[in-house]
Amino acid sequence: PNKSIGTVDPFVVIEIENCRSVSPVRENCTEPEWNLTYRFPINDYHSILYLSLWDEEDLVADAILGKIAVPLFNCKGLKKYILKDKTLSSVGKGELIVETSVFYNPIRAAIRTFTPKEEIIMKENTKFDISLLQRDVKRITAQVEMLQDMGEGMDQIIRWRSKQHP
């Protein structure tokens, strides 16, 4: 991250295909170094490696500082990337220096070029929504009331006595 954005608690989220990994948080650091190695199983040499730099927040949702998308076939050696915003459309906050390498079988990579791409099934982390909670509480309350009414009805049926037989 740039020093101009103040003190941050940065961490990196690494995503490729259906794999995700998160680096440790570096507390109060404007120029963090991780020096970590991550290995991912790759099914398609034409996949994109996404690196997102985040600022961990205690009381609110974590803030994204920037993101980059690197095609695997460009992952060779040490490179400096200027971060973009979360939509990858404009400049973000900071930069990442990343060393990457990809080991692959060229024949399998060529075959995979002509087969359908793997569907991404990972879901984004959902944020807490009070309106959804209120809706769900109303639904549960209605179900509980219905069960209570059914219980009272069953109780009346069980306790019912014929007027002909005292």
Side-chain angles (χ1 to χ4, degrees):
N2 290 335
K3 290 184 180 183
S4 63
I5 61 174
T7 302
V8 294
D9 301 324
F11 65 95
V12 177
V13 176
I14 306 150
E15 298 172 293
I16 187 159
E17 293 178 352
N18 282 312
C19 297
R20 178 183 291 152
S21 190
V22 180
S23 75
V25 175
R26 298 292 188 236
E27 302 285 331
N28 299 321
C29 186
T30 57
E31 293 191 20
E33 287 188 27
W34 284 277
N35 296 322
L36 299 171
T37 301
Y38 292 93
R39 292 177 183 234
F40 298 99
I42 305 300
N43 294 321
D44 188 355
Y45 182 64
H46 303 287
S47 294
I48 308 252
L49 173 68
Y50 293 97
L51 299 165
S52 305
L53 183 64
W54 292 81
D55 180 14
E56 183 181 61
E57 300 291 341
D58 291 331
L59 301 176
V60 294
D62 295 337
I64 188 165
L65 299 174
K67 183 175 185 176
I68 57 173
V70 183
L72 278 185
F73 52 82
N74 285 345
C75 289
K76 297 176 181 100
L78 188 67
K79 290 186 181 177
K80 180 177 178 179
Y81 297 98
I82 302 298
L83 295 171
K84 295 188 173 197
D85 66 353
K86 65 181 176 181
T87 62
L88 298 170
S89 58
S90 61
V91 177
K93 299 175 183 174
E95 59 189 31
L96 284 177
I97 300 173
V98 181
E99 184 172 9
T100 56
S101 57
V102 178
F103 301 99
Y104 67 99
N105 180 324
I107 295 170
R108 289 180 77 191
I111 292 170
R112 187 68 180 188
T113 300
F114 300 105
T115 58
K117 188 172 182 134
E118 180 179 344
E119 181 183 350
I120 303 299
I121 56 174
M122 286 193 319
K123 294 182 180 180
E124 292 295 319
N125 294 337
T126 55
K127 295 182 181 177
F128 179 76
D129 187 353
I130 191 74
S131 63
L132 292 178
L133 176 63
Q134 290 171 339
R135 182 197 69 190
D136 291 342
V137 167
K138 285 180 184 177
R139 285 181 178 174
I140 292 170
T141 304
Q143 295 293 321
V144 168
E145 289 172 357
M146 184 182 72
L147 286 173
Q148 286 174 336
D149 292 343
M150 286 176 56
E152 290 172 7
M154 294 295 288
D155 188 50
Q156 289 176 2
I157 290 171
I158 292 170
R159 294 176 191 262
W160 177 77
R161 297 212 171 156
S162 174
K163 292 182 182 180
Q164 295 174 355
H165 303 298

